[in-house]
Amino acid sequence: DPANSNLLYLASGEYTASWAHNAALLRSTDQGATWSRTDLPFKLGGNEDGRSTGERLQVDPNNGVILFLGTSQDGLWKSTDRAQTWTKVTAFPASSVTFVLFDKRTGSQTGTSTLYAGVNSTTGASLYRSTDGGNSWSAVSGQPTGLIPHRAGFDSNGVLYLSYSNQMGPSNITNGAVWKYTTGTGAWQLISPVVPGYGGWDNFGYGGLAVDPQHPGTLMVATYDRWVYGRNIFRTIDGFSTWNVLVGKA
């Protein structure tokens, strides 16, 4: 819980096959010294394709009794009692969720009104937004298509950065991108440090993404499934006008 460091939550599930056990939600009120368990009515694929996407489990930063959990095949779920019970968000339009993200700036003590969620789709919309606390959802206008959003983060100006790949990974990725979405204007901008496909053989995507919450325009991204030059970590401190290679060769 970003507002209470004593409260920890863990979504636990390894596979979604017919022989696998259902998932469980573990919660602690003492920084992990002891744990309580809630069995969930669905499965989570923590060791399946897409395991590097996320985060799928999020606590409302303005009201910690509210949590959302995205699943890999059973849609989006919500708890209003600190993860003790869960209800499926039937208005959410997709079954495979890659991440959930609160826009903290849009909240009050009753909860955060605006959320974003990525979904596993390369045919149509893959990023959805709710402006009523998760009750209803709609596709974000102008978004890129043909790629799956893997990770996302806000800077302190409310700018949203997203990493994309054309597969869930960790294998068979051949394309990807990094995008900037200015929530205030609805403008999208492609900001990839390196464009995949150079020479017809340098194929890869983007996965890891970290945004500096105190310095707008400072972020790091990582390539995903890049075999020609190996995986890279890029960093920009000037709003992506220039990128520096921290790990690997560009």
Side-chain angles (χ1 to χ4, degrees):
D1 184 337
N4 186 341
S5 61
N6 289 314
L7 304 180
L8 303 177
Y9 302 92
L10 174 65
S12 176
E14 195 168 9
Y15 296 105
T16 59
S18 59
W19 44 262
H21 296 292
N22 278 3
L25 199 293
L26 308 179
R27 58 191 187 278
S28 174
T29 59
D30 52 16
Q31 297 188 344
T34 61
W35 294 85
S36 300
R37 171 180 175 139
T38 295
D39 291 324
L40 299 172
F42 48 78
K43 300 173 183 179
L44 295 175
N47 197 39
E48 294 182 341
D49 285 357
R51 57 184 175 263
S52 67
T53 62
E55 293 291 331
R56 292 181 174 90
L57 175 64
Q58 293 282 1
V59 184
D60 191 324
N62 292 297
N63 184 356
V65 304
I66 299 171
L67 293 88
F68 280 85
L69 172 60
T71 73
S72 53
Q73 63 180 16
D74 289 287
L76 182 65
W77 293 69
K78 180 181 181 180
S79 173
T80 58
D81 57 8
R82 298 192 190 277
Q84 296 182 70
T85 61
W86 292 85
T87 302
K88 188 171 186 177
V89 181
T90 56
F92 192 74
S95 59
S96 180
V97 182
T98 58
F99 67 80
V100 180
L101 185 64
F102 285 94
D103 185 350
K104 182 180 179 180
R105 303 168 305 139
T106 66
S108 64
Q109 290 184 346
T110 60
T112 302
S113 60
T114 300
L115 299 86
Y116 291 82
V119 304
N120 174 18
S121 175
T122 58
T123 57
S126 60
L127 181 67
Y128 289 85
R129 175 174 53 207
S130 172
T131 58
D132 57 8
N135 293 318
S136 62
W137 295 81
S138 59
V140 177
S141 178
Q143 65 180 277
T145 58
L147 296 172
I148 302 165
H150 277 227
R151 290 188 170 268
F154 282 107
D155 71 10
S156 57
N157 286 340
V159 174
L160 182 63
Y161 296 92
L162 304 102
S163 62
Y164 286 84
S165 289
N166 66 340
Q167 299 287 342
M168 290 288 276
S171 301
N172 303 314
I173 294 172
T174 58
N175 197 11
V178 183
W179 283 85
K180 171 188 175 182
Y181 176 60
T182 304
T183 58
T185 64
W188 286 87
Q189 186 175 1
L190 180 65
I191 61 169
S192 305
V194 177
V195 177
Y198 177 77
W201 39 263
D202 185 19
N203 300 314
F204 61 92
Y206 285 93
L209 179 145
V211 181
D212 189 325
Q214 297 180 344
H215 299 91
T218 297
L219 65 148
M220 293 189 292
V221 295
T223 60
Y224 199 13
D225 200 21
R226 191 182 194 189
W227 291 93
V228 174
Y229 293 117
R231 295 188 180 180
N232 314 101
I233 297 177
F234 296 93
R235 179 173 183 252
T236 179
I237 60 174
D238 58 9
F240 59 83
S241 293
T242 58
W243 290 92
N244 297 315
V245 185
L246 301 184
V247 175
K249 178 181 177 181

